[in-house]
Amino acid sequence: MQCFTELTPPTAVTHSLSFPFTSADSLNLVVAKTSLLQIFKVKSVSKEVDTAVSARDASTGDNVQPLERRAQKGEGADASFLVADIVLQRAERYHDTKLVLVAEYPLSGTVTSLARVKILESKSGAEALLVAFRDAKLSLIQWDPECHAIATISIHYYEREDLQGSPWAPDLSQCINYLTVDPSSRCAALKFGRRNLAILPFHQLGDDLVMDDYDPDQDGERPEVTSGAAISKSDGEETSRTPYGASFVLPISALDPNLIYPIHLAFLHEYREPTFGILSSSVATSSSLLYERRDLLSYTVFTLDLEQRASTTLLSVSGLPYDLSRVIPLPVPIGGALLVGGNELIHVDQSGKTNGVAVNAFARECTSFGMADQSSLNMRLEGCVIDQIGVDNGDLLMILGTGELAIISFRLDGRSVSGFSVQKVAAQNGGELIKTVASCTSNLVRGRMFIGSEDGDSFILGWARGSTQASKVARHGTDEVEEDVFFDEAAMEDYDDDLYSADDAEVRRPARQNTNESGSNHEVSADLLFRIHDRMLNLAPLSDITLGQQVQPTNTGVADNVDVSSNDLGLVVAYGRDRAGGVAVLRQDLEPTIIGRFIFPEARGIWSVRAKRPVAKGLIPSSSSTAGNVSLDGGYSSHEGFDRFMIVSKLSSNGVEESYVYALTSTGFEEMKGTEFDPAAGGTVDVGVLGNGTRVVQVLKSEIRSYDGNLGLAQILPLTEDITGNEPKVLKASFSDSYLSIIREDESATVVKCDESGDLEELECPDSFSESKWISASLYYDKDGFFSAKVAEKASTLLFLLNVEGTLQIYNLPDLTNPLYTTPAVGYLPPVLSSDYAIRRAIAREKIREIIVADLGDNIATTPYLIIRTEHDDLIFYEPFHTPPDPESSSTVPSLRFLKTPNPRLSRTPPASSDGTSTTTTTSSSHATSLRAISNLGGYATVSVSGKSPGFILKTAKSLPRLLNLKNDGVRGLSGFNTGGCERGCVYVDYDGAVRVAQLPSDLNFTELGWAVKRVELDEQVDALSYHPPSASYAVGTSTKIEYELPKDDDFHREWAREAIPFKPLVDQSTLQLLNPITWGIVDTYALKPHELILCITTATLEVSEHTHARKSLIAVGTSCTAATDLASRGAIYIFDVIPVVPTPGKPETSIKLKLLVREECKGAITALSEVGTQGFLLVAQGQKCMVRGLKEDNTLLPVAFMDMNCYVSVAKCLPRSGMCIMGDALRGLWFVGYSEEPYKMTLFGKSSTRFEVIDANFFPDGDALYIIVADPDCNLHVLQFDPEHPKSLTGTQLLHHRTFHTGHFTSSLTPIPLSTNPRSSLLLHASSTGALAALVPVAEPTYRRLAAIASALSAGLDHRCGLNPRGYRGGSGGVLDGNLLARWAEVAVGRRWEIEGKIDSTAEEVRRDIRAVGVGDAKELLGYL
């Protein structure tokens, strides 16, 4: 039994669409990443650019940043992170367009198309989204503001067998299925199968579909309905009419008998009836039969009659080039359609007039069609993407397969197109910003376009008229603007008037403008400068994966710069294509950069304090001064925004708790003496700043102490009950603005306010408030009035209180009489928290330990979240949102609700004891607050988590909140830390008493995948990589495109020497590079022969001496030499050693070098390499043979055994320390082979019973059973087993085929990795071309039965997005659990969980243990060494 779990989501953007979706006036971008649907809103932000640098940096050229400083080695306090150089800089402001994530949904299907549809009724008043899936399914969805999520309107299936035609027709998965929608949303057309067309009509105002059944006697007067409104009857009740009509399927040949081979079709603009153009031919096209089948394509325009289900031919253009592949409809003012081929572009207007442009020399060789000659461009149009860039002049932006940009400009003669031209965008104008092919484009607003890619990062590309400064920005091509570089805002004014009405505002959908700009349209397009506004991380495709030892620098300056052991491994993957290629390092946990370290063995809590010094008497600050940055007397620092004090709570050896204060000075940490801060006052519960930074407030267990900015005691507020005189100890405290809330051990709550004079006083509260029992409290400063009932209210402080019954109440301070909002459902953890939640009887309730409300996000966007910590230390995220007012209610105030945000990661903390404390936590710190908001940690507004599972909750504008655990065994206390040498960092103390000052690494991405990702961009495509343990380096095989030339010395083709082709084909040229994991730089390079491509790299321990039988770890490389189609393919085997050399001065990482030992040419390409047996031999797949070779002392490879495969071998793997091998080919399936050493021979044990193309395969041992996992091109995993005792195996000659599991992602590699829980077992890491990383984990049968029952209950009870069936998506066969479905266990309410656990006769802790064991949500149980 196995479980397939996606560890990271797919990152390759396959489709995108911009339109109003969440509301009528919003501008949303919907992005599809294979099986992940993301919804963004577009936001404009203003950014400040530092246009001057320090003289030191300018003179030396060394851009030293304070964020990357390291403390010197030592155990004591270090001052290197306390001060920083002061750099005076000049600032300029410019605008950026950014994406802000609204929601994302994993889907049980593969998205093939997205389309927008205007429907008469939608819950949000906006448009609907039509999603097409791989197996001829259509889902119509809309945005539901009541649930703040998508809602499925309908789903349409066209995969029935009676629609597929003949029995020999290909399967739907083997056909190109795509969707197109009429621009007026009158119907949609889905082309599926070979020649089937499904038409789905939509109701629109005034059409026959809506008004034919209208009866004035029954329905009253004819209603006047606007777009997006509901159709209503006279009695006010909404009609139940669906937004679509009955769909029907037509064979494409029914439109015209000559449409035998349809190529592409699309609906056209500006027609009264639904009209589409289709590109087709009557015979199959073929480049090899070009002289016989030349110019055989035709372009035909049909108009549809939806009522009669008939069509009419409007025009037809024949004699078109054979290589045309797409129809791109063009809106006004151009109109018609643009036909895209491999060598030419052809425009066909509405009257059938054609204009063409040849973009390379082959266009004239391939067609006789009349076109303008622009062959000097030497463009290759395969894979290009075209979209409109000029609204007024109709110009188009074309992104070539190489990522280069070009402008297509049309010449208009009235309303007729007289011609068009293509012009490349110069590199200095941003023409090479994009490094690889694009997959989709979407126009956002004027001057902004989203460009998605499957092979590289996706971008928001902006353009404006040229200026000298702007050209520098475009030349750099990043969203980080260099010095003295900014966009000319005056030049951008024409493009930004409709976008930037206010800074940092959400971009609304602009009104359409019909007026033309003055000046020449072509001058505007030719003068455009491009730059990148925003980017979306992409690791697709993952071409290879390996494990490598983490290596730390030897001169870090800190004793334990990173807390890793020598056994920790790093997961290194090769990603990207073409110039977007590189290497990425993935880590599960967050490893901060340690700036300083010191020992406080008695420390139990730690806080850093930023406080203002008191103003000297008689000084009045100027109104123009900026608070916190301007000195008011001679003792002020120029960096008043930095932290000044650090307070540490300690527990002495005799059990006495004390608190000490330290000053953060230029000489280090100094214990402050002579102040009024009393260490003997007791242990500190919490420390904060009130009164706009003028008061430092120390919360003790029995009192509150207030100090001024110099730690002069200002006030002591005892916490004693007036009636009983008891002094219940303080457990928790929360600070915000001028308020302080505390929770005491008698479950009472107290709110303290700091007045304008700095005095603290308790707020009066009613009896109902005082008599309630409170568990947790959190203060939140609502600066934008998000939670306020009235829109006019701004900047209020809210108190969130949770009582013992699980009821959450929100108070608008200082009013404690009437709560602003109340919900009784927090203890039940439902998917949506609301004030009207209905509680059923006898429902289990979760024990809540703590809540906090804090902002999460980055400098682009922050969002308040309600974070709940349960008794298991699980964290539940709730995002607040407002629902529109009920139209039947008289209230116009939106309703507040909370939506549960997915967080499948379960805590690693042991279960809590009855008193709520962890069994491993000491008594003195058992009541310490584990959740703490940090306003700025490395640019993130985050919440830190202390305890046995420490970490941070991080979020960016383009991601959901992610919980990343800190790589530490446990943290007692954690606080933000901001000084000159450690800006926006943190300080924490672990259970060993070690205090560390740390920063988040600035070169890592933490949120978009949920893992810490460090990318090393190589600007070359990485085809293979392998880790070399002795040198602790990586061997990387990269490739670039070069022009191919035929061999000039061929004796049989002497005419090749006279070949002179100006436009030559491109082939890959490979290079072997050595990558250093400390600096992540290339230290050595070995260039292969021209046209030689690296296919595989492995590190094998080979025998290097026949006499001593000594072995050595060497790098083996297999290559293929590209030749002409009529020349036999050849390959070569390379054996490299990594030897030590004298390093380059100042570059110690260059102390190693590649040394070539063997290069042996072979007949056939070397497609696979693997170490085999126990004697240090190498298994080589060359051509149609598999050979075992040994390295001789004379540096030659001696074959000792072989096996004829009679087919191209794609996979050859060996089980480590054994002679068992598997070999797969592209046609016949999988072979299981045994290799014996005495004598040397290879024996066939068994074959797969079914034939399939093997993309990759690997062994998957599970106990005594030997499984083999095979990946095929249909994104399936086949589970085979070698069991000679089973009767169906025919004594082992046939491999048992147990089950087939659909992954949804094309497999690129299957890598076995040992389990951290059981090193004798292993899992398979599944890397895919979509960027998704998954794990196939062995599961014991009892665990499988429990989890299978849970998965069945989840499948039946959860709402599945787009109406898709997860069981049908995965294949429906048992034996393999769907980890994505189990990850939704956290979405289920507590009561439903309790019912499911009762049905399977299991406890909550057993279910949690089983889910963690299969790696759902957190792979720490499986890959603890990563």
Side-chain angles (χ1 to χ4, degrees):
M1 309 299 177
Q2 298 83 28
C3 178
F4 182 85
T5 303
E6 287 188 9
L7 304 178
T8 62
T11 59
V13 176
T14 56
H15 303 85
S16 66
L17 188 65
S18 62
F19 68 108
F21 184 61
T22 57
S23 63
D25 60 346
S26 65
L27 177 60
N28 298 108
L29 176 70
V30 178
V31 172
K33 299 178 178 179
T34 309
S35 60
L36 181 68
L37 191 69
Q38 292 182 318
I39 302 170
F40 297 89
K41 63 181 180 181
V42 182
K43 182 179 181 180
S44 168
V45 297
S46 59
K47 189 173 182 180
E48 194 170 275
V49 185
D50 297 328
T51 57
V53 296
S54 63
R56 171 181 57 80
D57 293 344
S59 60
T60 62
D62 185 16
N63 294 325
V64 179
Q65 299 181 4
L67 294 179
E68 298 178 356
R69 294 182 182 271
R70 302 293 186 270
Q72 295 182 357
K73 185 175 180 179
E75 295 295 325
D78 199 324
S80 61
F81 52 86
L82 302 178
V83 294
D85 298 334
I86 300 175
V87 180
L88 298 179
Q89 295 180 339
R90 169 172 62 90
E92 298 287 347
R93 300 189 69 85
Y94 69 100
H95 295 284
D96 267 349
T97 301
K98 301 291 185 179
L99 295 178
V100 179
L101 181 66
V102 177
E104 69 176 26
Y105 306 97
L107 303 177
S108 298
T110 301
V111 178
T112 58
S113 296
L114 297 176
R116 57 188 293 186
V117 177
K118 296 179 182 179
I119 60 176
L120 294 178
E121 300 181 44
S122 67
K123 296 181 179 180
S124 64
E127 300 180 16
L129 176 65
L130 191 62
V131 187
F133 295 95
R134 182 185 181 190
D135 294 328
K137 299 184 182 70
L138 290 179
S139 292
L140 183 63
I141 61 176
Q142 64 178 337
W143 184 258
D144 186 0
E146 293 287 335
C147 301
H148 196 68
I150 61 174
T152 304
I153 300 176
S154 62
I155 184 168
H156 308 267
Y157 292 85
Y158 301 100
E159 55 181 356
R160 301 195 311 269
E161 293 183 1
D162 57 337
L163 297 177
Q164 304 307 312
S166 60
W168 54 85
D171 188 73
L172 285 177
S173 60
Q174 301 177 1
C175 299
I176 300 178
N177 307 327
Y178 52 87
L179 173 71
T180 179
V181 175
D182 174 55
S184 300
S185 298
R186 289 166 291 194
C187 68
L190 174 68
K191 185 268 176 184
F192 67 98
R194 289 289 298 271
R195 301 179 183 89
N196 292 328
L197 192 65
I199 306 297
L200 179 62
F202 292 100
H203 299 308
Q204 298 297 333
L205 291 177
D207 62 6
D208 296 335
L209 293 173
V210 175
M211 296 302 175
D212 274 356
D213 58 350
Y214 181 79
D215 189 349
D217 297 333
Q218 297 181 1
D219 298 336
E221 296 181 359
R222 185 183 297 267
E224 295 182 0
V225 186
T226 59
S227 179
I231 300 178
S232 303
K233 295 182 180 180
S234 59
D235 57 359
E237 296 181 359
E238 290 189 0
T239 64
S240 59
R241 182 181 291 115
T242 60
Y244 55 88
S247 65
F248 54 94
V249 177
L250 293 175
I252 294 181
S253 58
L255 304 175
D256 190 332
N258 294 323
L259 301 180
I260 300 176
Y261 294 95
I263 297 175
H264 194 252
L265 63 90
F267 279 97
L268 305 179
H269 294 267
E270 304 299 322
Y271 281 91
R272 296 176 58 89
E273 298 293 336
T275 304
F276 64 87
I278 182 169
L279 192 65
S280 65
S281 67
S282 57
V283 295
T285 60
S286 173
S287 59
S288 61
L289 300 176
L290 184 60
Y291 291 99
E292 297 181 6
R293 302 181 181 182
R294 185 170 178 158
D295 297 341
L296 48 78
L297 295 189
S298 62
Y299 172 72
T300 311
V301 177
F302 296 92
T303 181
L304 289 177
D305 187 341
L306 299 178
E307 182 180 0
Q308 301 296 330
R309 298 185 178 183
S311 64
T312 303
T313 303
L314 296 184
L315 63 90
S316 180
V317 179
S318 59
L320 296 175
Y322 85 103
D323 59 340
L324 295 177
S325 58
R326 274 183 299 161
V327 178
I328 299 180
L330 301 181
V332 291
I334 305 302
L338 184 69
L339 309 182
V340 183
N343 308 303
E344 66 282 321
L345 297 171
I346 297 177
H347 176 261
V348 182
D349 65 7
Q350 295 181 350
S351 62
K353 178 183 176 182
T354 61
N355 292 278
V357 170
V359 297
N360 59 47
F362 280 110
R364 292 298 179 189
E365 304 291 334
C366 299
T367 179
S368 301
F369 191 84
M371 295 179 292
D373 186 11
Q374 283 192 268
S375 58
S376 60
L377 294 173
N378 287 335
M379 287 184 177
R380 295 173 170 86
L381 300 185
E382 291 84 359
C384 71
V385 178
I386 301 175
D387 205 343
Q388 189 176 32
I389 193 175
V391 178
D392 302 313
N393 53 22
D395 287 354
L396 304 176
L397 175 66
M398 179 167 60
I399 307 168
L400 301 177
T402 59
E404 298 175 281
L405 304 182
I407 301 294
I408 303 175
S409 301
F410 291 86
R411 296 188 297 272
L412 297 178
D413 184 7
R415 298 192 61 182
S416 175
V417 176
S418 59
F420 66 96
S421 61
V422 182
Q423 180 181 1
K424 281 189 176 182
V425 179
Q428 61 268 22
N429 290 355
E432 297 180 358
L433 291 178
I434 302 174
K435 296 182 178 181
T436 186
V437 61
S439 60
C440 57
T441 58
S442 296
N443 270 297
L444 300 178
V445 289
R446 188 172 188 145
R448 306 291 184 268
M449 179 185 293
F450 175 79
I451 300 176
S453 176
E454 298 184 58
D455 300 335
D457 288 350
S458 300
F459 303 97
I460 291 183
L461 192 68
W463 57 89
R465 297 185 186 180
S467 66
T468 304
Q469 292 85 356
S471 63
K472 297 179 182 179
V473 178
R475 190 162 57 247
H476 289 339
T478 62
D479 50 0
E480 296 179 0
V481 181
E482 302 289 338
E483 56 188 68
D484 294 326
V485 177
F486 57 93
F487 254 52
D488 187 355
E489 292 296 334
M492 298 175 63
E493 184 176 358
D494 294 340
Y495 291 88
D496 296 340
D497 285 344
D498 58 348
L499 178 61
Y500 304 118
S501 58
D503 289 347
D504 299 341
E506 179 182 349
V507 177
R508 299 292 180 178
R509 183 166 57 97
R512 183 169 179 175
Q513 299 179 0
N514 295 321
T515 59
N516 293 329
E517 295 180 353
S518 60
S520 175
N521 292 333
H522 302 300
E523 291 179 0
V524 173
S525 299
D527 207 21
L528 292 181
L529 301 177
F530 295 85
R531 72 179 178 95
I532 293 173
H533 286 242
D534 200 3
R535 69 175 61 214
M536 190 179 295
L537 177 71
N538 183 17
L539 293 184
L542 296 175
S543 56
D544 204 354
I545 187 170
T546 187
L547 284 178
Q549 196 80 31
Q550 287 193 4
V551 181
Q552 301 302 327
T554 58
N555 56 347
T556 58
V558 181
D560 55 346
N561 184 54
V562 180
D563 299 323
V564 294
S565 64
S566 59
N567 294 325
D568 286 341
L569 299 176
L571 193 63
V572 182
V573 299
Y575 72 90
R577 283 198 180 102
D578 300 332
R579 292 187 297 130
V583 172
V585 184
L586 305 181
R587 299 169 183 167
Q588 292 184 91
D589 291 338
L590 190 154
E591 299 181 8
T593 301
I594 306 300
I595 305 299
R597 179 183 184 273
F598 47 94
I599 299 298
F600 278 156
E602 309 90 358
R604 295 298 181 266
I606 191 167
W607 299 265
S608 63
V609 180
R610 181 185 314 169
K612 298 178 181 178
R613 290 185 175 93
V615 181
K617 294 183 179 180
L619 282 179
I620 300 176
S622 172
S623 60
S624 62
S625 299
T626 303
N629 293 328
V630 178
S631 298
L632 297 180
D633 60 22
Y636 276 19
S637 168
S638 62
H639 284 249
E640 193 67 22
F642 291 147
D643 296 340
R644 296 176 54 213
F645 309 113
M646 185 175 68
I647 298 175
V648 181
S649 180
K650 299 182 180 181
L651 178 66
S652 62
S653 57
N654 55 7
V656 178
E657 290 183 303
E658 295 178 332
S659 298
Y660 295 86
V661 62
Y662 297 84
L664 308 181
T665 66
S666 59
T667 59
F669 292 113
E670 295 180 359
E671 182 178 350
M672 295 189 64
K673 297 182 180 179
T675 66
E676 297 181 3
F677 189 90
D678 186 9
T684 302
V685 176
D686 207 344
V687 177
V689 178
L690 298 179
N692 195 21
T694 60
R695 287 290 184 266
V696 178
V697 179
Q698 178 190 20
V699 180
L700 304 173
K701 293 185 177 181
S702 59
E703 64 184 18
I704 300 175
R705 295 196 171 202
S706 175
Y707 304 89
D708 60 19
N710 288 330
L711 292 186
L713 184 61
Q715 184 183 359
I716 298 179
L717 183 64
L719 299 176
T720 306
E721 292 187 1
D722 297 335
I723 301 177
T724 61
N726 296 331
E727 295 183 0
K729 295 180 180 180
V730 177
L731 302 181
K732 305 169 185 176
S734 178
F735 295 85
S736 181
D737 193 25
S738 296
Y739 294 94
L740 163 66
S741 67
I742 59 175
I743 298 294
R744 293 186 275 191
E745 61 182 0
D746 63 347
E747 297 178 336
S748 63
T750 303
V751 182
V752 178
K753 181 181 180 181
C754 179
D755 58 20
E756 296 181 357
S757 62
D759 295 335
L760 303 180
E761 59 179 359
E762 294 187 21
L763 293 182
E764 295 184 0
C765 54
D767 294 339
S768 59
F769 185 91
S770 303
E771 295 173 358
S772 300
K773 301 295 183 180
W774 306 105
I775 298 175
S776 182
S778 177
L779 289 170
Y780 175 73
Y781 182 66
D782 190 10
K783 59 181 181 296
D784 298 325
F786 184 87
F787 292 98
S788 300
K790 298 179 181 179
V791 179
E793 294 186 7
K794 296 288 184 180
S796 58
T797 301
L798 303 179
L799 174 64
F800 291 76
L801 280 169
L802 181 68
N803 63 17
V804 293
E805 288 83 14
T807 299
L808 176 67
Q809 295 185 358
I810 305 177
Y811 292 89
N812 192 353
L813 297 182
D815 183 15
L816 295 176
T817 304
N818 298 315
L820 189 70
Y821 177 82
T822 301
T823 175
V826 174
Y828 304 98
L829 301 179
V832 177
L833 282 177
S834 62
S835 57
D836 55 353
Y837 182 81
I839 300 176
R840 296 187 300 170
R841 295 183 178 180
I843 294 182
R845 192 171 62 204
E846 187 78 21
K847 293 182 180 180
I848 307 298
R849 296 304 180 192
E850 187 178 2
I851 65 168
I852 187 174
V853 178
D855 287 329
L856 298 177
D858 54 10
N859 57 351
I860 305 300
T862 58
T863 305
Y865 277 85
L866 169 65
I867 303 173
I868 301 173
R869 181 174 67 93
T870 67
E871 64 172 345
H872 297 281
D873 274 349
D874 294 335
L875 297 181
I876 313 298
F877 305 150
Y878 278 98
E879 179 185 4
F881 68 96
H882 291 282
T883 60
D886 189 354
E888 298 181 358
S889 174
S890 59
S891 175
T892 60
V893 178
S895 172
L896 176 64
R897 293 185 179 182
F898 294 84
L899 177 67
K900 183 186 290 188
T901 303
N903 177 33
R905 178 170 293 196
L906 301 178
S907 174
R908 308 168 189 170
T909 305
S913 59
S914 58
D915 61 350
T917 64
S918 176
T919 57
T920 60
T921 307
T922 58
T923 305
S924 60
S925 60
S926 60
H927 299 307
T929 302
S930 65
L931 302 179
R932 176 180 293 273
I934 300 177
S935 60
N936 194 338
L937 178 66
Y940 296 94
T942 180
V943 172
S944 64
V945 183
S946 305
K948 296 297 292 184
S949 295
F952 295 97
I953 303 172
L954 302 177
K955 182 186 182 301
T956 60
K958 296 186 290 293
S959 72
L960 294 176
R962 309 285 191 184
L963 174 60
L964 275 82
N965 289 107
L966 191 65
K967 195 169 184 64
N968 200 292
D969 292 334
V971 170
R972 284 199 175 109
L974 192 151
S975 175
F977 193 86
N978 187 29
T979 64
C982 181
E983 296 184 13
R984 302 176 297 173
C986 65
V987 56
Y988 61 93
V989 54
D990 61 16
Y991 283 101
D992 297 328
V995 178
R996 293 173 176 84
V997 178
Q999 287 178 326
L1000 294 184
S1002 59
D1003 58 345
L1004 267 66
N1005 187 300
F1006 300 101
T1007 57
E1008 295 194 38
L1009 296 184
W1011 287 43
V1013 180
K1014 177 183 177 61
R1015 296 203 303 177
V1016 182
E1017 298 182 0
L1018 300 179
D1019 293 333
E1020 296 181 9
Q1021 179 172 312
V1022 180
D1023 300 311
L1025 80 161
S1026 181
Y1027 179 69
H1028 186 253
S1031 63
S1033 59
Y1034 294 89
V1036 181
T1038 62
S1039 62
T1040 56
K1041 297 291 185 181
I1042 62 172
E1043 291 186 345
Y1044 178 75
E1045 295 184 359
L1046 291 173
K1048 305 298 183 182
D1049 55 350
D1050 191 275
D1051 295 333
F1052 298 96
H1053 300 276
R1054 297 184 181 275
E1055 69 276 7
W1056 288 354
R1058 300 185 299 272
E1059 182 188 34
I1061 299 177
F1063 189 58
K1064 298 178 181 179
L1066 298 180
V1067 294
D1068 291 317
Q1069 169 67 52
S1070 287
T1071 303
L1072 182 65
Q1073 302 183 6
L1074 203 59
L1075 187 66
N1076 181 271
I1078 299 178
T1079 61
W1080 293 107
I1082 302 299
V1083 297
D1084 193 23
T1085 299
Y1086 183 87
L1088 274 65
K1089 289 186 176 182
H1091 314 152
E1092 191 172 9
L1093 177 64
I1094 293 178
L1095 298 182
C1096 54
I1097 299 177
T1098 187
T1099 300
T1101 304
L1102 302 181
E1103 184 182 275
V1104 295
S1105 175
E1106 301 176 72
H1107 304 288
T1108 63
H1109 301 288
R1111 299 186 185 183
K1112 194 172 185 180
S1113 183
L1114 302 174
I1115 299 173
V1117 180
T1119 67
S1120 173
C1121 296
T1122 307
T1125 56
D1126 55 349
L1127 296 181
S1129 175
R1130 300 186 63 84
I1133 306 173
Y1134 291 82
I1135 304 295
F1136 290 92
D1137 191 10
V1138 181
I1139 60 174
V1141 295
V1142 178
T1144 304
K1147 297 182 179 180
E1149 67 273 8
T1150 59
S1151 60
I1152 54 177
K1153 189 177 181 63
L1154 289 170
K1155 179 184 178 181
L1156 178 63
L1157 301 180
V1158 179
R1159 184 187 187 274
E1160 181 172 328
E1161 291 192 3
C1162 307
K1163 293 183 179 179
I1166 308 301
T1167 57
L1169 296 170
S1170 178
E1171 184 180 353
V1172 64
T1174 60
Q1175 296 182 353
F1177 288 173
L1178 189 67
L1179 176 64
V1180 182
Q1182 56 183 70
Q1184 298 179 357
K1185 295 180 182 294
C1186 285
M1187 291 188 178
V1188 177
R1189 291 173 174 262
L1191 180 61
K1192 299 176 63 177
E1193 293 185 356
D1194 58 352
N1195 289 337
T1196 59
L1197 291 173
L1198 176 66
V1200 297
F1202 74 96
M1203 175 168 284
D1204 285 320
M1205 299 296 294
N1206 301 322
C1207 192
Y1208 174 86
V1209 179
S1210 57
V1211 176
K1213 301 285 181 67
C1214 299
L1215 191 65
R1217 299 177 298 276
S1218 74
M1220 291 183 285
C1221 309
I1222 53 175
M1223 302 171 188
D1225 54 51
L1227 179 64
R1228 302 170 60 182
L1230 191 78
W1231 293 20
F1232 180 50
V1233 178
Y1235 163 70
S1236 62
E1237 298 172 342
E1238 293 183 2
Y1240 296 121
K1241 68 175 181 178
M1242 303 186 74
T1243 305
L1244 177 64
F1245 288 160
K1247 297 181 180 180
S1248 57
S1249 57
T1250 57
R1251 291 190 175 186
F1252 43 75
E1253 181 180 351
V1254 178
I1255 300 299
D1256 199 5
N1258 218 316
F1259 288 99
F1260 191 69
D1262 184 10
D1264 297 332
L1266 180 60
Y1267 294 98
I1268 301 172
I1269 308 299
V1270 183
D1272 67 8
D1274 292 330
C1275 306
N1276 297 321
L1277 291 182
H1278 302 268
V1279 181
L1280 309 180
Q1281 183 184 9
F1282 176 70
D1283 186 5
E1285 298 181 357
H1286 197 282
K1288 291 186 178 180
S1289 68
L1290 304 179
T1291 66
T1293 57
Q1294 296 237 353
L1295 298 177
L1296 300 177
H1297 192 290
H1298 283 288
R1299 60 195 68 93
T1300 300
F1301 183 83
H1302 185 70
T1303 66
H1305 309 287
F1306 186 85
T1307 304
S1308 56
S1309 69
L1310 294 172
T1311 306
I1313 292 182
L1315 287 170
S1316 57
T1317 55
N1318 184 9
R1320 298 187 60 184
S1321 299
S1322 62
L1323 60 82
L1324 280 184
L1325 276 183
H1326 175 272
S1328 65
S1329 61
T1330 61
L1333 186 66
L1336 189 67
V1337 187
V1339 182
E1341 186 171 353
T1343 302
Y1344 171 81
R1345 293 185 182 276
R1346 286 192 295 267
L1347 293 180
I1350 292 176
S1352 178
L1354 293 176
S1355 179
L1358 289 177
D1359 178 28
H1360 301 297
R1361 307 302 183 185
C1362 297
L1364 302 174
N1365 182 9
R1367 285 190 173 182
Y1369 173 62
R1370 295 304 188 186
S1373 61
V1376 181
L1377 297 170
D1378 185 1
N1380 287 10
L1381 187 59
L1382 293 174
R1384 302 186 65 182
W1385 175 252
E1387 300 180 23
V1388 182
V1390 177
R1392 178 58 178 160
R1393 285 194 221 169
W1394 181 69
E1395 294 177 359
I1396 297 175
E1397 291 164 357
K1399 289 181 180 180
I1400 64 176
D1401 193 20
S1402 183
T1403 63
E1405 187 57 36
E1406 290 176 344
V1407 172
R1408 289 168 49 83
R1409 184 179 64 250
D1410 291 341
I1411 291 178
R1412 287 199 306 266
V1414 296
V1416 172
D1418 185 7
K1420 187 68 175 181
E1421 297 284 340
L1422 307 176
L1423 307 174
Y1425 44 80
L1426 289 183

